[in-house]
Amino acid sequence: MSELRVALLTVSDACSKGEREDKSGDAVVAWCGQAGHRLIARALVPDETHRITPLLLSWADGGEVDLVLTTGGTGFGPRDVTPEATRPALKREAPGLAELLRRRGESSTPFAVLSRGLAGCRGATLIVNLPGSPGGVRDGLAVLDPLVGHAVRLLRGESPSHDPGATP
């Protein structure tokens, strides 16, 4: 697919305090550049639902973003709240996509199955939670790369070919 408009939300207490670099977010930025997608917005917030959900809603409802990616906050830690903060923003969940991310991530680390990340849509925007590790983000983006264009075309009401070998 041609250029997607992407918004990136990194959820991390440590990064938001300046204690750690946002390497996961940087991996998304690099992917956007390599894939020819345009990064429309980038934000960094602590693991706090009241900071996460409003941004997701704003980006999805604003009509300027095709794909919202979050990184971080999907694990078992007591402050990992990204899935809980994402769920209210989703009109329809895409459990197969979230499961595929976990299943494919397992080839890199057995811990991939511990991710509680969600995927789904709101209006014409696809929203996907990625893990907080740079490797997990890269693995997730490798899974998403061949799928997001088709998903976004469907969300826009277009009728793309369902033949995986067809030219977009």
Side-chain angles (χ1 to χ4, degrees):
M1 170 173 210
S2 61
E3 174 184 86
L4 289 178
R5 300 166 301 166
V6 179
L8 164 63
L9 177 59
T10 299
V11 179
S12 168
D13 287 335
C15 290
S16 69
K17 293 176 187 172
E19 298 171 355
R20 186 172 66 222
E21 277 185 70
D22 181 15
K23 293 182 180 178
S24 296
D26 292 343
V28 172
V29 172
W31 173 76
C32 285
Q34 292 165 355
H37 303 318
R38 187 166 35 122
L39 188 65
I40 297 290
R42 181 176 183 177
L44 174 62
V45 297
D47 293 85
E48 296 171 355
T49 301
H50 72 279
R51 301 282 304 273
I52 301 165
T53 307
L55 268 174
L56 298 179
L57 291 170
S58 172
W59 287 340
D61 293 345
E64 299 298 318
V65 175
D66 301 308
L67 173 64
V68 174
L69 296 172
T70 71
T71 68
T74 62
F76 283 12
R79 290 195 43 83
D80 288 334
V81 298
T82 302
E84 290 76 16
T86 300
R87 185 165 275 118
L90 300 178
K91 290 288 187 184
R92 296 183 293 164
E93 288 193 34
L97 186 52
E99 291 307 318
L100 181 62
L101 289 166
R102 283 185 271 280
R103 196 168 58 246
R104 294 269 181 89
E106 214 179 357
S107 65
S108 296
T109 175
F111 300 130
V113 298
L114 298 178
S115 173
R116 300 178 309 107
L118 301 176
C121 56
R122 180 178 184 92
T125 302
L126 179 63
I127 301 171
V128 180
N129 297 151
L130 295 172
S133 72
V137 168
R138 285 188 292 274
D139 288 347
L141 293 171
V143 170
L144 292 175
D145 200 44
L147 303 173
V148 294
H150 186 80
V152 167
R153 283 192 296 277
L154 289 170
L155 289 170
R156 289 177 179 166
E158 298 173 14
S159 299
S161 169
H162 291 283
D163 175 3
T167 308

